[in-house]
Amino acid sequence: MAVPEEKNNLANLAYAALKRDITEGAFQPGDKLLMSGLKERYEIGAGPMREALSRLMAERLVTAISQRGFRVAAMSIEELKDIYFARAQLEAMITVLAVQRGGDEWEAGVIATAHTLSRVKEVQNTDEMLGVWDNRHKAFHYAIASGCGSAKLMELRETMLDQAERYRQFWLREMVFSGEALKSKQEEHRELIDVLMSGDAQAARQLMFEHMMNPIPIITRILEARGLA
Amino acid sequence: MAVPEEKNNLANLAYAALKRDITEGAFQPGDKLLMSGLKERYEIGAGPMREALSRLMAERLVTAISQRGFRVAAMSIEELKDIYFARAQLEAMITVLAVQRGGDEWEAGVIATAHTLSRVKEVQNTDEMLGVWDNRHKAFHYAIASGCGSAKLMELRETMLDQAERYRQFWLREMVFSGEALKSKQEEHRELIDVLMSGDAQAARQLMFEHMMNPIPIITRILEARGLA
DNA sequence: TTTTGTAAAAATATCTACATTTTGTAATTT
DNA sequence: AAATTACAAAATGTAGATATTTTTACAAAA
């Protein structure tokens, strides 16, 4: 899923840690990322730290202005809509390919990950369950997409997933806290599987697109409540 | 088209210079990028140089193994096919959106850039003409795609363009050296415009997909001749 | 008083030079 | 030949020097 040869060197570690801190909200959108603060937080020199920031810049999670340092990339409702739309289009396109090209083992993978997802225990320790559900949900969609047979398309998909991640976090909490919303998602997933197995690529395309667009209103509401208009 | 706030600092300059050197073939695929050599070539310290390399790594033009330095990303026929396929799918998808959403000024932009492209003077100074033709060709396709109305999709498109660039260079030379191939391309472009203006999104999709896939056999032949199988 | 301008000071970003760690190579031993 | 060791080359990291931007303090003008 991720790049494999990422061994340990300070720049890589800082990259991973900062990426997590940004997507999980430890740093807020627009926050200035002071070199001095980062050095202390990640116990690292300025050189490797800059490397990490450079990579996150290429991934659009961090912005930079020359001689004026780095910031956490801003979030906005406009960007939310654009990212989700682009992602939905991409995922729908990939889904068509997967239906057309996916063989028996693809089908098996989809069914298997769907099953695993459906078996996430109903609310106990909310935060832990949230993590488990999210991982399995991602695995399910990954299994579907992987049928497209294109490593580059899978990379593009990963790119968009990364960029959506901060917005997705909001949706995720909403989802898991509301048993009803979760039930509704599960229903969507069932329908999705039916269409995928039916082999009707265009129907699958349409349904996947809608599935991916659904979270937008929910997240918009949350962002508005937080004044991130 | 590119990121605007890229002012001058050594890392940015080295990034741009190395990127150009890689896409234009001054460094060959698989070449080891020795720190000492790079420092000398770009007159820069190791720190900023690593920053540039980090960013190119995120863009897949450079690969790295921890503690063992950097290399120019390899090229292969397999990757060529994957990149061109993914690009064609993406561009076809974007074209559908552009036809559906593009307004009068989009149409005007397409017509205008097509006209400019058609007026490139027939072979004189080959190398200069090559550059002019390429720029105008890119502008033409950019004009088409821009009708999709999604900044993120345009970004993904740019990503794929960057990754295809080294392969595209081969095709470009072949194209411009052969007046016949160039004529054929011009004919394709005319057809493309007709379909775009007709508003038939699905037909446009199909034609754009084929247009984007066409170079694959040509480039494959060149790569095979160079033993990059 | 408020605004505007200016210069010094502080904070910050950026770069280089050198130190450290790791890897690659080749000679030497088993 | 295989393993080991010693040495050279290269990558990585840190600390401090340099350059740039931001803030502050203060004064002049409105």
Side-chain angles (χ1 to χ4, degrees):
Chain A
M1 209 155 171
V3 187
E5 288 109 68
E6 272 179 351
K7 272 187 196 164
N8 48 337
N9 63 27
L10 295 192
N12 286 342
L13 296 182
Y15 163 80
L18 178 54
K19 185 168 182 174
R20 203 180 51 243
D21 283 343
I22 289 175
T23 53
E24 290 181 357
F27 290 111
Q28 290 298 306
D31 273 3
K32 191 139 205 334
L33 293 167
L34 257 337
M35 211 57 222
S36 49
L38 296 174
K39 279 168 60 177
E40 189 179 346
R41 181 178 181 111
Y42 302 111
E43 293 173 309
I44 208 182
M49 196 65 239
R50 292 190 121 256
E51 266 183 68
L53 288 162
S54 292
R55 284 167 62 182
L56 290 167
M57 209 175 80
E59 296 180 17
R60 312 286 188 217
L61 285 176
V62 161
T63 60
I65 303 180
S66 186
Q67 317 289 6
R68 292 199 220 168
F70 299 88
R71 291 180 172 277
V72 178
M75 286 174 78
S76 69
I77 290 177
E78 191 189 6
E79 198 204 32
L80 159 72
K81 286 178 182 164
D82 192 20
I83 288 179
Y84 265 74
F85 175 76
R87 239 183 114 219
Q89 286 287 340
L90 186 68
E91 195 85 12
M93 183 187 94
I94 288 175
T95 302
V96 170
L97 290 169
V99 170
Q100 290 168 345
R101 299 167 141 201
D104 291 347
E105 57 183 312
W106 169 70
E107 289 198 0
V110 173
I111 300 285
T113 52
H115 178 78
T116 313
L117 174 58
S118 74
R119 286 304 169 101
V120 175
K121 283 218 185 71
E122 287 281 331
V123 203
Q124 33 177 359
N125 176 337
T126 316
D127 240 35
E128 196 180 339
M129 140 135 180
L130 187 140
V132 174
W133 192 85
D134 191 30
N135 283 339
R136 296 189 182 180
H137 185 221
K138 277 182 179 161
F140 169 61
H141 278 287
Y142 180 87
I144 296 174
S146 66
C148 78
S150 164
K152 282 295 164 196
L153 285 179
M154 291 302 280
E155 260 179 37
L156 288 185
R157 182 179 174 275
E158 191 85 3
T159 301
M160 291 311 297
L161 194 61
D162 278 349
Q163 292 194 41
E165 193 58 28
R166 289 186 297 172
Y167 297 98
R168 240 178 45 81
Q169 289 294 324
F170 290 130
W171 168 82
L172 189 59
R173 301 207 157 264
E174 196 79 356
M175 181 66 69
V176 173
F177 272 96
S178 155
E180 199 182 343
L182 212 153
K183 282 252 194 295
S184 148
K185 265 298 152 195
Q186 281 169 345
E187 180 52 29
E188 280 182 43
H189 288 154
R190 261 192 296 278
E191 290 176 35
L192 211 41
I193 293 171
D194 287 346
V195 185
L196 290 174
M197 295 306 142
S198 82
D200 183 342
Q202 286 314 313
R205 194 202 133 76
Q206 186 57 30
L207 200 59
M208 181 60 85
F209 182 75
E210 284 162 15
H211 182 67
M212 301 290 290
M213 293 292 278
N214 269 340
I216 296 182
I218 299 161
I219 303 173
T220 301
R221 205 179 319 126
I222 297 172
L223 287 178
E224 272 167 355
R226 301 205 178 197
L228 281 169
Chain B
M1 209 153 170
V3 188
E5 288 107 59
E6 272 179 351
K7 272 188 196 164
N8 47 336
N9 64 25
L10 296 192
N12 285 342
L13 296 182
Y15 163 80
L18 178 53
K19 184 169 181 173
R20 202 179 51 245
D21 283 344
I22 290 175
T23 54
E24 290 182 357
F27 290 110
Q28 290 299 306
D31 274 4
K32 190 137 207 329
L33 294 167
L34 258 335
M35 211 57 222
S36 50
L38 296 174
K39 279 167 59 176
E40 189 179 349
R41 182 178 181 110
Y42 302 112
E43 293 173 310
I44 209 182
M49 198 63 239
R50 293 191 119 254
E51 266 183 70
L53 289 162
S54 292
R55 285 167 62 182
L56 290 167
M57 210 175 78
E59 296 181 18
R60 313 283 188 219
L61 285 176
V62 161
T63 60
I65 302 179
S66 188
Q67 319 288 8
R68 293 199 220 169
F70 300 87
R71 290 181 172 277
V72 178
M75 286 175 78
S76 70
I77 290 177
E78 189 189 8
E79 198 203 34
L80 159 72
K81 286 178 181 163
D82 192 20
I83 288 179
Y84 265 74
F85 174 77
R87 237 182 115 220
Q89 286 287 341
L90 186 68
E91 196 86 10
M93 183 186 93
I94 287 175
T95 302
V96 171
L97 291 169
V99 170
Q100 290 168 345
R101 300 166 141 201
D104 292 347
E105 58 183 310
W106 168 70
E107 288 197 0
V110 173
I111 301 285
T113 52
H115 178 77
T116 313
L117 174 58
S118 74
R119 286 305 170 100
V120 176
K121 283 216 184 73
E122 286 282 330
V123 202
Q124 34 179 357
N125 177 335
T126 317
D127 240 35
E128 195 178 340
M129 139 134 182
L130 187 139
V132 173
W133 192 85
D134 191 31
N135 283 339
R136 296 189 182 181
H137 186 223
K138 276 183 179 159
F140 169 60
H141 278 287
Y142 180 88
I144 296 174
S146 66
C148 79
S150 164
K152 282 297 163 193
L153 286 178
M154 291 302 279
E155 260 179 37
L156 289 185
R157 181 178 174 276
E158 192 85 4
T159 301
M160 292 311 297
L161 194 60
D162 278 349
Q163 292 195 39
E165 192 59 28
R166 288 187 296 172
Y167 297 98
R168 240 178 45 81
Q169 289 293 323
F170 290 130
W171 168 81
L172 189 59
R173 301 209 157 263
E174 196 80 356
M175 181 67 70
V176 173
F177 273 96
S178 155
E180 199 182 343
L182 212 153
K183 281 255 195 294
S184 148
K185 264 298 151 195
Q186 281 169 347
E187 179 52 28
E188 280 183 43
H189 288 154
R190 260 192 297 277
E191 290 177 35
L192 211 40
I193 293 170
D194 287 346
V195 185
L196 289 174
M197 296 306 142
S198 81
D200 183 342
Q202 286 314 312
R205 196 203 131 76
Q206 186 57 29
L207 201 58
M208 181 60 85
F209 181 75
E210 284 161 14
H211 182 67
M212 301 290 291
M213 294 290 279
N214 268 341
I216 296 182
I218 299 161
I219 304 173
T220 301
R221 204 178 321 126
I222 298 172
L223 287 179
E224 272 168 355
R226 300 205 178 197
L228 281 169

